[in-house]
Each structure stands twice: as C-alpha cells, then as structure tokens.
Amino acid sequence: MFAGTAEELRARQEQARELAEQAATLPGQIDALGLGDAAGQLHTPGGIIRRRPGQGWTAADR
C-alpha cells in the first residue's frame, strides 16, 4: 500500500493514468491483425481500458 504524501499519490495516479492510455493502444493493434477481436475490458491501477463502439480501445478513470 502507498504510504507517501497526498501530492506524491496524485503524481503517481497521473503517471498510472498515462501508462494506461499507452496500454490502451495495444488491444487495437492486436485487433488490427485480423485474427479476431479482443473482448471485454482490462482493469489497471490507472483506470479501466475498454472497447468503446466506434472509438476503439480507450483508458478511463474508474
């Protein structure tokens, strides 16, 4: 469990959110291979990565 300051926590949460956004590009790249669609959603400390109709894969806060 995180035991730092509130400022450190916010900075780490922002970093986790940025990494989740980067990770959200991977399922779309896998889908583009045409081997079948990935399904569902991924839960990360930075938020939820999910497929949105017409938008592809996106990262969102919980």
Side-chain angles (χ1 to χ4, degrees):
M1 193 70 184
F2 182 75
T5 67
E7 183 177 314
E8 291 171 326
L9 177 60
R10 280 190 297 277
R12 289 187 184 196
Q13 287 172 328
E14 177 61 28
Q15 184 178 15
R17 198 168 15 264
E18 290 170 7
L19 291 171
E21 288 173 6
Q22 292 174 24
T25 64
L26 294 174
Q29 291 172 352
I30 292 168
D31 287 348
L33 295 173
L35 301 173
D37 290 340
Q41 54 189 346
L42 305 169
H43 293 261
T44 73
I48 300 171
I49 299 169
R50 63 172 59 110
R51 181 194 320 258
R52 300 235 167 141
Q55 295 179 9
W57 289 85
T58 61
D61 292 337
R62 293 189 184 273

